Amino acid sequence: MEKHISVVIPNYNGEATIGKCLDAAFASNYKNFEIVVVDDCSDDRSVEIIKQYPCKFLSFDERSGTSKARNAGAINCSGEIVFFIDSDCLLQKDTLSIVNKTMSGLTPDHIVGGT
């Protein structure tokens, strides 16, 4: 069963990478997902780039740090699984399918991490 996955991406001045990150995420073979991007008060063109994509977008009025951006994304997502990546990460087409398969056999209180 495909669980709904929320991909949460904190961003700060990610102009050089956020477009490629979002292109790769939206190219996923897995279809039951949403993307939540939380901008941490960027002063480059990254917000302009992010707004070109069909993702949920949140932004801070003052710089708050990556942890707060991740937490804001987790609070404002709707997925059964929350999957955190950074704005310079490129998901493979099967990444979310692997996440779903890995998490499907676990109880909701499990956490999986990796690099």
Side-chain angles (χ1 to χ4, degrees):
M1 180 175 110
E2 280 195 354
K3 293 185 180 231
H4 185 62
I5 299 174
S6 294
V7 179
V8 176
I9 307 169
N11 177 73
Y12 175 69
N13 288 345
E15 175 182 2
T17 59
I18 190 66
K20 293 173 188 168
C21 174
L22 292 171
D23 283 340
F26 281 111
S28 177
N29 293 333
Y30 194 84
K31 298 303 174 203
N32 191 12
F33 71 95
E34 68 174 347
I35 296 180
V36 180
V37 180
V38 183
D39 185 71
D40 192 17
C41 207
S42 293
D43 56 13
D44 65 357
R45 290 185 50 251
S46 55
V47 170
E48 179 183 326
I49 295 167
I50 294 162
K51 288 185 174 182
Q52 295 175 20
Y53 293 84
C55 55
K56 185 180 284 187
F57 176 72
L58 306 167
S59 62
F60 294 147
D61 293 330
E62 62 183 40
R63 187 104 162 83
S64 299
T66 304
S67 296
K68 286 191 179 185
R70 285 190 180 114
N71 289 339
I75 290 167
N76 288 282
C77 71
S78 61
E80 298 169 79
I81 297 170
V82 181
F83 186 67
F84 297 104
I85 64 171
D86 291 325
S87 63
D88 61 351
C89 292
L90 300 176
L91 297 182
Q92 300 297 305
K93 289 182 183 283
D94 64 346
T95 299
L96 297 180
S97 296
I98 293 168
V99 169
N100 180 66
K101 183 178 179 182
T102 300
M103 296 300 292
S104 289
L106 304 176
T107 58
D109 59 346
H110 278 85
I111 298 171
V112 176
T115 56

